Amino acid sequence: MKKILLLLSCLTTSAFAQYFEHKDWEVACDNTRTCRVAGYSKEEDDLRMSVLFTRLAGQNQALTAKITLSDIDENNTDRAVLLIDGKPLRTLNFSKTSNLSLTSAETQQVLEAIKSTGKVQLTTNK
C-alpha cells in the first residue's frame, strides 16, 4: 500500500507546472511537460528583444526558438540583424510581425552562444 501511495504522489506532483528564474532567464514547464525558457535584453538597450526556446514533451522533440522585438512601433524598425559574437547570423524582417522563428541550425547557434561566453545581439542601421 505504501508503494502505491508513493507512486501516486509522484504522478500527481509531476502534473503541476514548474517555474524558476536564473539570471536574465525564466524557465517554465507546464503540466503537459512542455518547457519554455525565455531570455530578455537589458531594459536600457535601444533595440530590445527576447528569445523564447520551447521544447514540446515527448521523446526526440526538437528545440525551437522565436525572437520577439519589443516596442516595434517605437523603434520604427522593420529589419534587424541577429549577431553572434559580432558576426551576422541572419537579417530578420519585422515588417509584418514582431516575432520570428529561427531555423533549427540558427537555434543551435544561438543556444551554443548563450551556453558559453558568446554574445547574442540584435542591431539595426537607422
Side-chain angles (χ1 to χ4, degrees):
M1 184 66 161
K2 287 182 183 180
K3 289 181 183 179
I4 293 173
L5 290 175
L6 180 62
L7 179 59
L8 286 174
S9 69
C10 290
L11 289 175
T12 57
T13 56
S14 66
F16 291 105
Q18 302 288 321
Y19 173 85
F20 68 92
E21 293 181 23
H22 177 70
K23 296 184 182 181
D24 292 332
W25 295 93
E26 295 178 9
V27 180
C29 296
D30 62 26
N31 61 348
T32 67
R33 296 190 179 157
T34 294
C35 293
R36 293 172 181 84
V37 177
Y40 305 94
S41 60
K42 296 176 184 170
E43 286 289 324
E44 62 269 11
D45 288 351
D46 290 334
L47 192 59
R48 294 185 308 156
M49 71 166 188
S50 65
V51 60
L52 175 67
F53 293 99
T54 303
R55 185 181 182 284
L56 299 176
Q59 198 171 19
N60 300 321
Q61 291 294 320
L63 182 69
T64 62
K66 185 179 287 189
I67 297 213
T68 300
L69 184 62
S70 300
D71 306 325
I72 193 164
D73 294 331
E74 287 180 23
N75 291 317
N76 198 19
T77 301
D78 63 353
R79 292 174 101 55
V81 179
L82 179 63
L83 304 170
I84 295 182
D85 294 327
K87 297 176 186 168
L89 177 64
R90 175 179 168 192
T91 298
L92 303 171
N93 185 350
F94 290 102
S95 63
K96 295 181 181 170
T97 183
S98 63
N99 56 59
L100 296 169
S101 296
L102 298 180
T103 67
S104 59
E106 292 166 340
T107 298
Q108 278 306 121
Q109 288 178 303
V110 170
L111 184 62
E112 290 304 316
I114 62 175
K115 282 178 16 182
S116 63
T117 58
K119 187 172 184 180
V120 178
Q121 294 174 282
L122 200 59
T123 187
T124 182
N125 295 329
K126 290 186 180 181

